[in-house]
Amino acid sequence: MGLLSLSIWTPIVFGVLLLAFGRDNCARGVRWVALIGSLLGLAVTIPLITGFDTSSAQMQFVEKVLWIERFNIHYHLGLDGLSFWFVPLTAFITVIVVLASWESITERVNQYMGAFLVLSGLMIGVFAALDGLLFYVFFEATLIPMYLIIGIWGGPNKIYAAFKFFLYTLMGSLLTLVAIIYLYNVSGGSFDIQTWHKLPLGSLPQTLVFFAFFAAFAVKVPMFPVHTWLPDVHVEAPTGGSAVLAAIMLKLGAYGFLRFSLPIAPDASREWAWLMIALSLIAVVYVGMVALVQKDMKKLVAYSSVAHMGFVTLGFFIFNDLGVSGGIVQMIAHGFVSGAMFLCIGVLYDRVHSRDIAAYGGVVNTMPKFAAFALLFAMANCGLPATAGFVGEWMVILGAVKFNFWVGLLAATALIFGAAYTLWMYKRVYLGPVGNDHVKELQDINCREFLILVILAVAVLYMGLYPKPFTDVMDPSVAQLLQHVAQSKLP
């Protein structure tokens, strides 16, 4: 068992143990076991970081074992610059979520923590899988723990939100399964994703494969107009569920475009790039305007996630190194920033049990430490220079201007809308005189909450001030991908 297998199966094993043996009468022990499991999962990824060769575009830490001989299905794992950072990011966010849920979850604690640990391992499996069917198994399996997290620990309309989440994502994925089976047959009985990259597909097959993958990945990102499930799910999900959904699960769809759509159907990707760019710009501009009128903090941040992920897909389909690298950097940065934004909303919700912006006002007077952290994360969400939120957006805007000035100009409006809705929310919630008795009675963050926010603040500032370690890893793989996409594969 290699490092990647350990990264996948360590949290899953701990999660299964919690599901099997954990009980509510020993909730304190369950929480500690969950924390140890998540920390071990993170520790296993450290040798990946130290051992990764940043000068190579080849797959590293490869593991390949025959799994189902009859269909030539392999347990095949590996990382390159496109997928590398999402493994430690997933493990990191899992630790944060376990800490953030320490006191807020009091019922079925073992099932809640177990579901998160299993989900963590499955998501890492998606980023590491190099076998098409293995990817699909991991990709679909992530729905189960998230469905349970929303449906059991969610808000008043949790069943509706859980069903909507499950049906949207499952229905989109069915076409992907058809595409995977088609590629298996065309390649002579191989599920190897890297073999699929070399298939000389015709124009029509490429277009059909492109839209089959689009059906699953666009819903997962989510792109306009299939984004409507996300605000409903975020509003009903518990704080930890929202943080993981925004920080990691949305990235599964964007990653799918990089690993499947672009390299397998490069001609179709170039042909339909105008559609992807148009949908991305609508997400950036229109959904940003929708965020401006939200009264619920979670809905506002959910719509802001759609707008920020629009930057990611825009960067991928302008086909230059700044755009693609910027899209990947934006995915990582959005993982830190959106996770932090939802956790900040969770801190307030745990105390007041309301997400309405109108229920607050003047929080800075009673929670000054917390308000300072919230301001940093709000600035990062706006894309302020020296924060993680700025780097990816700036790279995508530069790439978009290089591609087409008007596309770049439209993309840049996101910075204006982002500042407008984020600062408006911050002003209404945190600034001014104390809004009501609930706010007057608030207690500032405790040591556990302070630790969580400090860790996230350091991550946001470090990435904003020194993004080189992140971009160095992806540069060779991005260059190789763009070179591959530029070469026509039409027979």
Side-chain angles (χ1 to χ4, degrees):
M1 183 177 282
L3 287 170
L4 274 178
S5 285
L6 283 173
S7 302
I8 293 168
W9 296 107
T10 299
I12 290 176
V13 167
F14 271 87
V16 171
L17 286 173
L18 286 177
L19 290 171
F21 300 110
R23 294 289 180 270
D24 272 356
N25 58 7
C26 56
R28 181 178 172 81
V30 163
R31 294 186 181 104
W32 278 106
V33 171
L35 180 60
I36 291 166
S38 62
L39 285 170
L40 278 175
L42 179 60
V44 171
T45 67
I46 293 171
L48 295 174
I49 298 171
T50 56
F52 192 85
D53 180 4
T54 57
S55 64
S56 172
Q58 302 304 310
M59 288 293 170
Q60 300 177 44
F61 309 107
V62 175
E63 301 172 35
K64 189 172 184 179
V65 180
L66 191 62
W67 177 23
I68 303 173
E69 188 173 357
R70 183 178 176 187
F71 298 106
N72 195 27
I73 303 170
H74 289 80
Y75 176 78
H76 189 188
L77 306 174
L79 291 179
D80 64 357
L82 305 179
S83 57
F84 171 75
W85 277 113
F86 299 107
V87 173
L89 177 66
T90 304
F92 170 77
I93 293 294
T94 305
V95 175
I96 295 293
V97 164
V98 169
L99 284 170
S101 309
W102 202 263
E103 293 174 2
S104 58
I105 301 299
T106 54
E107 295 179 356
R108 302 183 179 182
V109 180
N110 68 308
Q111 295 173 21
Y112 182 85
M113 296 295 188
F116 269 112
L117 289 172
V118 170
L119 178 62
S120 172
L122 294 173
M123 290 189 297
I124 290 172
V126 172
F127 294 120
L130 294 180
D131 182 276
L133 200 71
L134 184 67
F135 172 90
Y136 186 79
V137 168
F138 280 130
F139 190 79
E140 291 302 283
T142 58
L143 298 183
I144 300 166
M146 183 53 83
Y147 173 78
L148 295 174
I149 289 163
I150 299 163
I152 297 174
W153 295 275
N157 294 321
K158 58 191 178 185
I159 303 301
Y160 162 76
F163 265 96
K164 191 171 184 180
F165 163 75
F166 197 88
L167 289 175
Y168 259 73
T169 46
L170 181 68
M171 287 174 70
S173 301
L174 290 176
L175 281 175
T176 296
L177 181 60
V178 174
I180 286 172
I181 294 168
Y182 169 76
L183 291 168
Y184 170 76
N185 289 325
V186 171
S187 61
S190 173
F191 279 109
D192 184 64
I193 295 171
Q194 291 173 294
T195 301
W196 292 353
H197 291 176
K198 299 167 188 170
L199 291 175
L201 298 176
S203 178
L204 181 61
Q206 276 200 43
T207 302
L208 293 174
V209 165
F210 177 83
F211 280 106
F213 285 130
F214 174 84
F217 302 146
V219 169
K220 205 80 161 187
V221 167
M223 293 180 70
F224 178 90
V226 287
H227 66 287
T228 56
W229 62 269
L230 187 69
D232 292 333
V233 169
H234 270 311
V235 166
E236 298 304 324
T239 300
S242 287
V244 165
L245 183 64
I248 309 297
M249 283 199 80
L250 304 188
K251 314 304 181 287
L252 302 181
Y255 170 72
F257 283 121
L258 286 178
R259 185 62 75 214
F260 288 85
S261 304
L262 289 169
I264 294 173
D267 297 296
S269 297
R270 292 199 303 271
E271 184 184 348
W272 293 98
W274 64 270
L275 176 64
M276 300 298 292
I277 291 168
L279 293 176
S280 301
L281 288 174
I282 291 170
V284 167
V285 179
Y286 167 70
V287 178
M289 293 170 77
V290 171
L292 274 168
V293 298
Q294 298 307 312
K295 297 177 181 178
D296 183 303
M297 286 188 284
K298 264 197 169 184
K299 262 198 174 173
L300 189 149
V301 179
Y303 279 115
S304 109
S305 283
V306 178
H308 285 116
M309 290 304 290
F311 259 101
V312 173
T313 47
L314 173 66
F316 291 170
F317 284 89
I318 54 180
F319 302 119
N320 59 45
D321 53 351
L322 271 172
V324 178
S325 295
I328 301 171
V329 170
Q330 174 71 353
M331 286 161 73
I332 301 164
H334 184 256
F336 293 133
V337 176
S338 65
M341 292 286 286
F342 279 113
L343 291 173
C344 284
I345 294 169
V347 168
L348 291 173
Y349 184 79
D350 288 344
R351 288 160 168 76
V352 180
H353 300 293
S354 174
R355 292 181 303 268
D356 288 338
I357 293 169
Y360 296 90
V363 171
V364 70
N365 297 291
T366 49
M367 301 180 72
K369 289 181 196 169
F370 172 63
F373 282 115
L375 179 62
L376 170 64
F377 299 133
M379 292 294 115
N381 201 49
C382 297
L384 189 77
T387 64
F390 172 75
V391 184
E393 291 187 6
W394 181 242
M395 289 172 74
V396 172
I397 291 170
L398 286 177
V401 169
K402 192 174 169 184
F403 171 78
N404 181 291
F405 173 77
W406 298 107
V407 170
L409 184 66
L410 277 172
T413 60
L415 298 175
I416 300 166
F417 290 126
Y421 57 68
T422 308
L423 294 178
W424 176 80
M425 180 181 75
Y426 189 85
K427 172 182 175 289
R428 295 280 302 276
V429 173
Y430 294 93
L431 302 182
V434 172
N436 53 51
D437 290 339
H438 292 302
V439 175
K440 192 180 290 183
E441 293 165 7
L442 287 175
Q443 297 290 316
D444 213 342
I445 47 176
N446 57 35
C447 293
R448 176 182 56 81
E449 292 165 333
F450 186 81
L451 174 66
I452 293 166
L453 297 178
V454 162
I455 293 169
L456 285 166
V458 169
V460 166
L461 289 172
Y462 177 80
M463 189 173 180
L465 293 167
Y466 190 58
K468 190 173 184 291
F470 298 92
T471 54
D472 281 356
V473 165
M474 62 189 71
D475 284 345
S477 296
V478 167
Q480 186 184 62
L481 174 66
L482 288 172
Q483 184 182 4
H484 175 83
V485 172
Q487 296 168 348
S488 176
K489 288 173 67 181
L490 290 174

